[in-house]
Amino acid sequence: EAQLVESGGGLVQPGGSLRLSCVASGFTFRRYAMSWVRQAPGKGLEWLSGITVSGESTEYADSVKGRFSISRDNLKNTLFLQMNSLRVEDTALYYCAKNLGAGNGWYTSWFDPWGLGTPVTVSS
Amino acid sequence: AIRMTQSPSSLSASTGDRVTITCRASQGVSSYLAWYQQKPGRAPQLLIYAASTLQSGVPSRFSGSGSGTDFTLSIASLQSEDFATYYCQQYYNYPRTFGQGTKVEVK
């Protein structure tokens, strides 16, 4: 059974940085594009970023472009999200998700499964 | 970015009711649409992709329809475990975008 486990969240001051990790198991990680999605407290879902199987191509939401960077280590079955210049409005639960769809989930992508999420709080 | 608008934002229903949720895209997304269910404190779970294809293991009381800009998620006979929030998501282009969610509550 495919499983994703996020870690690395925590409390950080505005302007600070965090690096989130997502360890995958139960499927061949290197064969699937992956994504990060967040959910602010009491709010809806916001897709943040996606990465191809090789890591050569990435996409970002405008809200995080230039501040966040997605990457992956296929040897360690791990997805990363480097978050810089954090803002109060980045406070959320951050999920990683496995992409399904055409092109290993890159050209068309719906998400299954999702991890349980790691919480990020940006506050002074 | 394509804007996804769900209606209603919330609804009250009873067990056994038929429930329909609508999702409208700000531009055509063909059939590149998925639906998710999220229960409090839990991660979202995939229900439907390609607008109408039921994910393996999802009960057949769930169904999806539509293409272009207008889509619906229907629950034929609401069960107690279906009280949750539902989200649509387009994957026609990047950035992927979600609707704001529809909360299905007990009447």
Side-chain angles (χ1 to χ4, degrees):
Chain A
E1 180 186 359
Q3 188 174 8
L4 299 167
V5 179
E6 303 94 336
S7 62
L11 174 63
V12 62
Q13 291 188 338
S17 298
L18 276 177
R19 190 191 196 203
L20 306 184
S21 299
C22 169
V23 176
S25 60
F27 67 99
T28 307
F29 179 73
R30 66 180 184 276
R31 292 182 179 171
Y32 292 89
M34 298 291 294
S35 292
W36 288 97
V37 179
R38 71 182 177 187
Q39 186 168 35
K43 302 297 184 182
L45 302 169
E46 180 186 16
W47 177 86
L48 298 178
S49 182
I51 188 168
T52 54
V53 295
S54 66
E56 287 187 359
S57 293
T58 58
E59 290 281 354
Y60 297 92
D62 285 346
S63 59
V64 303
K65 198 174 294 183
R67 300 189 300 125
F68 290 11
S69 177
I70 190 172
S71 62
R72 64 191 295 162
D73 184 337
N74 286 341
L75 294 179
K76 296 184 177 179
N77 292 342
T78 304
L79 178 72
F80 301 101
L81 186 67
Q82 178 66 44
M83 304 188 298
N84 300 328
S85 303
L86 282 161
R87 306 166 179 167
V88 171
E89 55 265 35
D90 293 319
T91 294
L93 186 64
Y94 285 70
Y95 294 104
C96 68
K98 174 187 163 194
N99 290 20
L100 296 175
N104 301 101
W106 182 245
Y107 301 117
T108 60
S109 41
W110 56 94
F111 309 119
D112 183 68
W114 302 52
L116 295 179
T118 186
V120 171
T121 301
V122 185
S123 174
S124 56
Chain B
I2 297 175
R3 181 175 177 85
M4 307 301 292
T5 304
Q6 291 180 229
S7 60
S9 295
S10 65
L11 65 89
S12 298
S14 301
T15 302
D17 287 351
R18 180 178 180 85
V19 168
T20 299
I21 298 168
T22 296
C23 176
R24 175 164 288 177
S26 61
Q27 67 183 75
V29 299
S30 186
S31 295
Y32 297 138
L33 188 105
W35 289 96
Y36 301 87
Q37 177 194 68
Q38 186 179 34
K39 297 179 180 179
R42 304 283 296 274
Q45 290 201 312
L46 175 68
L47 295 176
I48 286 169
Y49 60 94
S52 61
T53 302
L54 209 61
Q55 171 70 350
S56 177
V58 173
S60 59
R61 62 181 180 273
F62 290 92
S63 64
S65 65
S67 67
T69 59
D70 294 313
F71 302 87
T72 60
L73 172 70
S74 296
I75 309 172
S77 177
L78 198 66
Q79 301 299 302
S80 57
E81 59 267 31
D82 301 336
F83 292 100
T85 300
Y86 295 84
Y87 295 92
C88 62
Q89 175 236 328
Q90 67 81 19
Y91 49 93
Y92 180 78
N93 65 9
Y94 285 100
R96 306 312 192 203
T97 47
F98 292 88
Q100 82 280 13
T102 295
K103 187 173 184 179
V104 177
E105 300 175 297
V106 178
K107 191 171 186 178

